[in-house]
Every structure is written in structure tokens, then in C-alpha cells.
Amino acid sequence: MYEPKPEHKFTFGLWTVGNQGRDPFGEPVRPAKSPVELVHLLAEVGAWGVNFHDNDLVPIDATPAQRDKIVADFKQALADTGIIVPMATTNLFTDPAFRDGAFTSNDSNVRAYALQKTMNAIDLGVELGAKIYVFWGGREGTETDAGKDPITAIKRSREAMNYLCEYVLDQGYDLKFALEAKPNEPRGDIYNATTGNMLAFIETLDHPDMVGVNPEVAHEHMAGLNFTHHVAQAMEAGKLFHIDLNDQAFGRYDQDFRFGSVNLKSAFFLVKLLEDNGYDGSRHFDAHAYRTSDFEDVKAFARGCMRTYLILKEKVAKFNADAEIQALLAEINADSGAMTPFTGPYSAEKAAALRSHAFDRAALGQRGQPYERLDQLVVELLLGVR
Ligand code: GCO
Ligand code: MN
Ligand code: MN
């Protein structure tokens, strides 16, 4: 019943199930697996797609011949398993060249190299079938604002996005960009720190229609924000091109935990938002197994992400079909229609009528809402007693 199927569009990055458990305090605990092995692992657990950074697939120092062999082997693995590549991205953070950022680096050579690397990575992604291209500016930030002007940083980011949109148009690629915000880690502060910042930034680009967002649960949670509200704003604006699902305790380091493993209730409202509003992009799990896991446990991690999503999806259907919950919602949203003559699109007549209407303000302030009763029903639904 909770088996992943292609229509669920569950995807993982090579870097997620391939994560070796390195952290700032410790060395890798799991051996490196090749991209081909990881594609087979993803097929075994029932995923639909695989995503990658250029250098997850092709090492940064690979020769053209090595590149061609790696890409051919990877394509064979995709053909053998039926796994597809819906999204690709560029690694603009691991190499020391990017220690001060890529598109916002103070070094014009680094900024140009970042454009070159991204154009090559876009070609690679498109060659493998990607339709969405993610930009996560992990190093686009500062530890001190003494050395970088934040307004210049915005202008440099815009210039890079405009350049790369033109590149995609010039090549005739069927590719859209999805910008991923994060408040910090690995930089002290990262520019365009939240999904809301990204949405505002996109509207200033030359081709805003080509660009949307890739929000990630952990990133808004790291900033102490309501992720579901950010995703809702993106959806309402037609900008939810991709989503990174994982989990994260508020106030902690960047955890990338299994989806739904920490904040089950917010995961429920997120799945409800996506499912009720017909989101039809990838459900991408940008997470990794605990450092204590071996590869059997990595598979349990990946299966767990998908299974929890599907269980929550079933809970959403129950919520929508629950007579008591729906009756409470009807009561909460009851509207006699008495205000319709005054509200909606503005007219001078409506405004005049509204100004002369007498409100019983004390009565307005007396109305309680049964949110406690409703929320307890949600909790009982999630706890499995409804
Ligand atoms: C992070 C980010 C990354 C990006 C990835 C794809 O916190 O490290 O979430 O995992 O999503 O680089 O762009
Ligand atoms: Mn992240
Ligand atoms: Mn991410």
C-alpha cells in the first residue's frame, strides 16, 4: 500500500544515498559507491529518479575521455533500471576556488569560471534528460560584511542568472531554473537567505518565467520559519519548480534527516499543501542516513523517506474525508454573505457603503474559534487512533 510508484515522482541525489558520513568532526564511515552502483541502489528501493551535481558524476579533474566513459556507463545504468534524471545542478562549493563564493565572489576570474563550469554542467544535465536545473548558492555569502558589499552581491547574482538564462535560450534547451535558498552553512550568512527572498529576486531577472524555486524543509527550519507557508507562497506564485524534502530540528546544525523524522506534524501539513494543490514536480529527498548507518540502513533511510510521504498522503485523504474535521472547518469558515456588497474588488460605491455600515465590534471580538478541538483531531489522526 505504501509502495513507491513512478507517479509519485520520488527522487534522490547521488550525494544523498551516496553520502559517506563525513562531518566537521569525523572522517567518512561508508565506502564511496560509484554513480552506477547508486542508480541500482535507488532502483532497488523503488525511486523514480536520480539527480546529481556535475562532480557527483564526473570528477572535476576528469579528462574528456574519462567523462565520456563515465557518462556512457551512467546512461547504461539508467537504461537498465528505468531510473530517470529529472534535475541536475552544479557543484559551486567544494573546490577551494569557490571559498569566497562563485557568482558573488569578489574575484572576477572565479565569477567567470563559475559561469563556465555551470554552462558545462547544464550541457551534462540536459544530455541526461534533466528538465529542472537547481542553483544552490552554498558559498554565496560572507562571514564578515567588511569585505563584500551585499548590494553588489545581489547585482552579481542577477547578472549570472541572466547570463545563464540566455545561454539556455541560445542552446534551445527545454530547461527551467530552480533557486534554492539557505540561511547559513557553509557560509556564516548566505545571500537570498529564504525562499521569500528568492521569490522577490526572481521578479528582477530578465526572464522570470524561466526561474522558480527549490525550497528545502531544513533550510527554512534552520531560520526558525514555517516551511509550509514559504512553499505556499511559491505555489501561489506558480514558482514551485522543485522541492527538497528532509527534516531538521529547529536551532540545530544542518541535519538533513530522513523526511518526517523530526517534525511529523509540519510534514503532514506540507504533504497536505502539495497534494491538495496538485503539485506535480519531483518529490526530491535531499537528506542522508545517520552517520551510524551501514548501506543496509541507508536503504532503510531511503525507503523511510518515501514510505512516510505516502503514509502522510493517506492521512491527508483521511483528513479531507473526516466528517467531524470537515464540519469543524465549515463552522470555522462559515460566511453569511452579508459583507459581499462591501468587499471584493474595490468600487467607490462599495467603499461608501462600507464606511456607513455599523459594525458590532464587541461581538466580533467575542467570537472564539474551535482550533483546539480541530488540532486535537489532527493529532489523533496522526497518532493513528482515528
Ligand atoms: C545543502 C543543500 C544542497 C543542495 C544541493 C543541490 O544544504 O547542502 O541542500 O544539498 O540542495 O547542492 O543543489
Ligand atoms: Mn540542505
Ligand atoms: Mn537542498
Side-chain angles (χ1 to χ4, degrees):
M1 183 168 180
Y2 305 118
E3 284 296 304
K5 300 201 180 76
E7 75 238 33
H8 300 132
K9 300 190 174 175
F10 289 137
T11 67
F12 291 82
L14 284 179
W15 70 95
T16 65
V17 283
N19 179 285
Q20 292 183 258
R22 181 187 283 111
D23 73 15
F25 305 94
E27 299 298 341
V29 292
R30 290 183 286 269
K33 291 231 184 244
S34 72
V36 168
E37 288 174 307
L38 292 169
V39 168
H40 283 276
L41 184 152
L42 289 176
E44 186 186 334
V45 299
W48 171 69
V50 63
N51 307 311
F52 57 84
H53 302 84
D54 49 353
N55 304 137
D56 298 339
L57 186 58
V58 182
I60 196 164
D61 289 323
T63 64
Q66 287 166 335
R67 176 203 190 270
D68 292 348
K69 168 87 171 84
I70 290 166
V71 172
D73 290 348
F74 191 66
K75 280 184 177 165
Q76 189 59 52
L78 297 174
D80 291 345
T81 56
I83 297 273
I84 66 158
V85 175
M87 176 275 260
T89 183
T90 327
N91 184 325
L92 295 172
F93 44 89
T94 298
D95 195 85
F98 301 120
R99 61 203 292 180
D100 189 29
F103 304 135
T104 64
S105 167
N106 275 335
D107 185 336
S108 59
N109 297 288
V110 173
R111 297 201 298 277
Y113 172 57
L115 287 175
Q116 183 204 61
K117 190 173 194 288
T118 304
M119 289 189 288
N120 290 335
I122 286 175
D123 293 350
L124 177 66
V126 169
E127 181 181 347
L128 288 159
K131 296 276 187 287
I132 297 288
Y133 204 83
V134 163
F135 288 84
W136 172 65
R139 299 244 180 233
E140 311 288 16
T142 59
E143 284 70 42
T144 166
D145 288 329
K148 259 188 182 176
D149 172 11
I151 289 185
T152 302
I154 294 167
K155 291 185 191 306
R156 286 176 180 163
S157 303
R158 180 181 303 121
E159 193 177 287
M161 284 304 126
N162 286 340
Y163 192 105
L164 293 166
C165 282
E166 293 293 348
Y167 176 72
V168 165
L169 291 169
D170 213 13
Q171 303 303 305
Y173 290 155
D174 173 19
L175 190 70
K176 291 198 161 182
F177 291 172
L179 310 188
E180 179 177 346
K182 189 177 185 183
N184 55 273
E185 282 194 59
R187 296 310 296 266
D189 292 287
I190 301 175
Y191 300 124
N192 277 331
T194 71
T195 300
N197 291 75
M198 285 299 186
L199 288 168
F201 172 70
I202 288 166
E203 294 309 313
T204 72
L205 299 176
D206 289 346
H207 299 283
D209 292 352
M210 291 176 66
V211 187
V213 290
N214 176 38
E216 174 171 320
V217 178
H219 297 179
E220 255 76 32
H221 284 192
M222 285 169 71
L225 299 171
N226 184 317
F227 182 65
T228 301
H229 291 188
H230 282 75
V231 175
Q233 188 177 1
M235 288 184 94
E236 204 274 336
K239 290 293 186 193
L240 188 67
F241 289 5
H242 199 264
I243 193 164
D244 279 3
L245 302 171
N246 57 11
D247 215 344
Q248 167 77 38
F250 283 65
R252 296 291 172 93
Y253 66 98
D254 181 14
Q255 295 176 310
D256 286 338
F257 284 150
R258 190 178 75 257
F259 180 61
S261 61
V262 184
N263 302 285
L264 254 187
K265 197 170 154 191
S266 42
F268 167 76
F269 286 118
L270 174 64
V271 172
K272 184 169 188 309
L273 179 81
L274 296 175
E275 296 299 325
D276 283 352
N277 293 286
Y279 170 70
D280 74 346
S282 294
R283 276 90 175 148
H284 175 235
F285 298 104
D286 189 9
H288 53 75
Y290 302 138
R291 194 163 182 268
T292 39
S293 298
D294 59 13
F295 269 107
E296 272 316 300
D297 209 38
V298 169
K299 291 181 205 168
F301 147 82
R303 290 190 173 105
C305 286
M306 298 185 284
R307 189 173 162 84
T308 297
Y309 188 99
L310 292 174
I311 295 169
L312 290 173
K313 186 175 167 181
E314 188 197 29
K315 297 286 183 190
V316 169
K318 285 197 170 162
F319 178 102
N320 291 339
D322 188 303
E324 196 177 347
I325 289 175
Q326 293 308 316
L328 275 176
L329 282 172
E331 179 188 331
I332 286 163
N333 291 294
D335 183 352
S336 69
M339 293 299 116
T340 312
F342 309 134
T343 55
Y346 176 86
S347 75
E349 295 71 32
K350 277 188 193 175
L354 179 56
R355 293 178 83 161
S356 58
H357 182 77
F359 283 96
D360 183 351
R361 199 182 76 243
L364 293 179
Q366 289 304 307
R367 182 176 174 206
Q369 289 284 32
Y371 293 153
E372 289 285 2
R373 266 151 63 205
L374 179 62
D375 188 71
Q376 181 64 23
L377 293 178
V378 173
V379 169
E380 295 194 10
L381 190 81
L382 293 178
L383 291 176
V385 297
R386 275 190 83 73

